Amino acid sequence: MKGIWKSIKGRLFLLLFTSTSLLLIAIGLFLYHEVRTTVLGSVDGTLHSKMQVMTGLLHEEHGAIELELSELIQGEYSIPRSGHYYKVMMNGKLLAASPSLVDSGFDLSAGTLEYRDEKTREKVFASVGPDDEPVRVLQYDLKTFGADFSFFVAESLSGSMEIIRTFRNFLLIVIPSGILVVCLTGLWIARHSLLPLEAFSDRIKTITHKTLNERIDTGTETRELTGLADSFNEMLERLQKVFDSEKRLIADASHELKTPVSVIKAECDVVLQKERRGEEYIEAIKTIKEVAENIDAHIKALLSLARLDSGILSPLSFAAVSLNDCIQKTIEMTKPLAEKRRISVTATLEDDITIAGNRDSLAEAFLNILENGVNYNRDNGALEVSVKRKEEKAFVSFKDTGVGIQRENLRRVFDRFYRADSARSEGTGLGLSIARSVIEAHGGEITVESEPGKGSIFTVALPVKQEQ
Ligand code: ADP
């Protein structure tokens, strides 16, 4: 588990580190390029204006070509190695040069072409000045007054490069620091955002089969984890149901089966005490068979209950069930039992009603009620079944002419293992609780009315399947 958290953190961190680094480096490169272009552009702009001034000073007077550079000689161009230079060539020969070039050995015509401005027809060169400093040179070729002129204006880039260098150094400090700050923040966020998940995981680890009744407090979980905690609690709920029903099954089974098993053992002990006559053995085997059948009925009923308790009847698995079909089939199954005691079983079925449900479980529920209607009836009695529809509900009633149920016991008949007269009853006391579980799992309800000595009416209400 720990490994997963670590790898999630690692992945988050890696993602943050890569994306932030790439983004900051891209921004840095872009800014550096922009500043460099702006600074060099401004130098080129100055050189261009100087070039325009210089070409404007060229004129012809009385057939002679003159270049009045006196204005330019003032200031920066007059200071040796000032970083500001110019040179004018006419037909390949030097016509004029700035005093700043004197003794510098710097030739403005040598350099690497940076670009050519198609509009102004000026060329820009990168060159190296007399003191090995970078120099920007602007060259302009002009054909006029019958001669070929080449004008060169240059400026040292020492100052500009200093600005660019300072800016580059600034970026080299700011970008790694930015990456570091973002990564540390990211690491902190990743660590803290996963803390509730780790706490959640630790909390889950404390839940065992013995503490299945515990739940994760969804109120204190962070919003993102509330859904997870809810689902986890629902899962615990289902697990606990299955666990409880298994525990209950084991407890019920051992309790209920103890007595009949003791009866079998006692019967065997008595028979085996001495030599017996053949009829006595037959009698003993008959008793043992009866008790074994009772054990069998108990086991079947307990398994049915355990299955129902574990939530096997889910509406998701329901299919369309014809109520009349289901009831007719269970009546047919009850008839042999009823005929033995000459009890008439009649059915009044309305139009076919369809239920969304589990056919076998519904049949088991109806069979339990019908068998009770026979078992607790008098000889030559009657059992009437009717099916009616009222709005969105189907009502199935089972009316018998049996012993009836005392008023105070009416509610208890659906309890597990309840038998009104356990001495007389051979049942398991589970039939009606199975029926109730099945009916309730179908969204229905089972009720009973009874008059002791006259008979009982069990009524099952079930929702009718809605047409799609
Ligand atoms: P079982 O019939 O196996 O004993 P049930 O759960 O089916 O168990 O019924 C529980 C008890 O309710 C029965 O023992 C009986 O006392 C009473 N009972 C059930 N159905 C009827 C009925 N139709 N008439 C009278 N009593 C009934």
Side-chain angles (χ1 to χ4, degrees):
M1 217 58 166
K2 212 91 184 154
I4 294 175
W5 307 145
K6 268 189 185 157
S7 90
I8 290 177
K9 267 185 211 162
R11 281 178 199 178
L12 274 176
F13 179 72
L14 201 69
L15 188 76
L16 200 75
F17 176 75
T18 324
S19 53
T20 312
S21 306
L22 287 176
L23 186 73
L24 286 179
I25 290 170
I27 292 175
L29 286 174
F30 173 75
L31 286 177
Y32 178 73
H33 176 261
E34 283 298 295
V35 167
R36 195 172 183 278
T37 314
T38 311
V39 171
L40 292 179
S42 129
V43 172
D44 291 351
T46 315
L47 290 175
H48 173 71
S49 346
K50 290 274 165 63
M51 180 64 83
Q52 278 194 322
V53 171
M54 203 159 69
T55 49
L57 296 173
L58 187 72
H59 66 277
E60 191 184 18
E61 214 169 281
H62 311 298
I65 292 160
E66 287 189 11
L67 190 62
E68 284 182 25
L69 292 170
S70 48
E71 291 174 31
L72 282 172
I73 290 170
Q74 311 295 321
E76 323 158 302
Y77 292 99
S78 60
I79 305 163
R81 300 184 174 208
S82 62
H84 298 269
Y85 314 99
Y86 68 76
K87 182 173 99 173
V88 184
M89 307 287 286
M90 190 176 94
N91 293 332
K93 284 188 187 149
L94 184 69
L95 181 68
S98 63
S100 55
L101 276 171
V102 175
D103 293 335
S104 67
F106 177 42
D107 182 8
L108 294 189
S109 1
T112 325
L113 181 69
E114 288 268 295
Y115 68 90
R116 183 190 150 90
D117 190 330
E118 292 303 329
K119 228 164 66 193
T120 59
R121 286 188 286 116
E122 290 169 347
K123 289 182 208 157
V124 176
F125 293 90
S127 191
V128 180
D131 296 317
D132 281 341
E133 80 278 25
V135 174
R136 197 86 167 161
V137 182
L138 192 75
Q139 180 187 345
Y140 179 59
D141 296 328
L142 182 67
K143 237 186 197 7
T144 186
F145 307 123
D148 288 331
F149 293 90
S150 283
F151 291 82
F152 296 90
V153 197
E155 192 174 317
S156 161
L157 288 180
S158 300
S160 310
M161 286 320 267
E162 191 53 40
I163 297 173
I164 294 170
R165 243 193 321 275
T166 310
F167 185 68
R168 190 195 60 195
N169 292 342
F170 167 75
L171 288 179
L172 284 177
I173 294 170
V174 165
I175 290 176
S177 314
I179 293 174
L180 193 74
V181 168
V182 171
C183 286
L184 286 177
T185 316
L187 210 65
W188 186 87
I189 293 172
R191 228 187 103 68
H192 280 78
S193 61
L194 290 178
L195 276 181
L197 208 56
E198 285 179 23
F200 188 73
S201 151
D202 291 341
R203 177 79 185 86
I204 291 172
K205 276 186 211 151
T206 63
I207 297 175
T208 65
H209 66 286
K210 285 185 187 147
T211 53
L212 266 182
N213 58 330
E214 286 182 19
R215 295 290 176 268
I216 290 170
D217 188 357
T218 49
T220 59
E221 296 300 335
T222 46
R223 202 149 46 97
E224 291 83 353
L225 288 183
T226 311
L228 191 63
D230 279 339
S231 311
F232 193 80
N233 284 342
E234 277 167 31
M235 188 189 75
L236 282 178
E237 194 86 39
R238 289 195 296 274
L239 275 179
Q240 195 191 356
K241 243 181 164 180
V242 176
F243 243 78
D244 286 351
S245 79
E246 280 192 5
K247 257 164 55 185
R248 201 163 158 183
L249 173 73
I250 293 167
D252 291 347
S254 52
H255 177 259
E256 283 301 307
L257 300 180
K258 241 185 216 159
T259 317
V261 170
S262 308
V263 171
I264 291 177
K265 269 168 72 185
E267 189 71 25
C268 292
D269 286 343
V270 171
V271 176
L272 292 172
Q273 257 172 11
K274 55 177 186 176
E275 192 82 14
R276 307 235 173 226
R277 283 179 291 122
E279 305 89 76
E280 283 176 312
Y281 285 120
I282 291 170
E283 251 344 276
I285 291 169
K286 273 186 184 165
T287 310
I288 291 170
K289 187 178 176 252
E290 261 173 40
V291 180
E293 275 168 357
N294 184 267
I295 291 176
D296 184 47
H298 265 93
I299 291 173
K300 279 185 185 143
L302 283 167
L303 286 175
S304 274
L305 266 180
R307 272 203 297 272
L308 289 168
D309 284 350
S310 65
I312 196 172
L313 288 185
S314 144
L316 292 174
S317 64
F318 284 174
V321 178
S322 157
L323 200 55
N324 286 0
D325 263 14
C326 191
I327 286 176
Q328 256 159 350
K329 292 229 165 81
T330 46
I331 289 177
E332 288 309 311
M333 289 162 86
T334 322
K335 271 194 173 152
L337 187 73
E339 276 162 13
K340 271 192 201 162
R341 298 182 49 212
R342 293 178 304 281
I343 294 169
S344 69
V345 185
T346 51
T348 317
L349 308 176
E350 263 195 4
D351 304 335
D352 200 10
I353 301 170
T354 308
I355 301 291
N358 181 302
R359 199 178 182 288
D360 292 343
S361 300
L362 283 171
E364 186 181 3
F366 294 146
L367 194 64
N368 287 348
I369 305 169
L370 281 166
E371 282 181 352
N372 283 349
V374 174
N375 288 335
Y376 303 105
N377 217 321
R378 58 179 165 79
D379 290 345
N380 302 310
L383 177 57
E384 286 168 30
V385 184
S386 71
V387 179
K388 278 195 188 100
R389 178 178 176 152
K390 239 187 243 164
E391 289 160 8
E392 295 315 309
K393 275 189 177 170
F395 292 89
V396 189
S397 77
F398 303 83
K399 185 176 176 207
D400 65 60
T401 52
V403 295
I405 304 160
Q406 296 297 325
R407 204 181 158 75
E408 63 273 20
N409 295 334
L410 272 180
R411 282 206 301 166
R412 297 174 60 202
V413 290
F414 299 105
D415 292 348
R416 287 181 187 200
F417 301 111
Y418 171 77
R419 275 170 282 182
D421 187 352
S422 49
R424 257 180 48 186
S425 164
E426 285 178 359
T428 58
L430 293 172
L432 285 180
S433 40
I434 291 174
R436 185 176 62 177
S437 290
V438 171
I439 305 298
E440 285 179 355
H442 283 78
E445 200 188 2
I446 178 166
T447 50
V448 60
E449 299 158 57
S450 187
E451 214 178 307
K454 284 204 164 161
S456 316
I457 305 173
F458 283 84
T459 308
V460 172
L462 284 166
V464 173
K465 186 175 186 306
Q466 299 299 312
E467 292 303 323
Q468 297 290 311

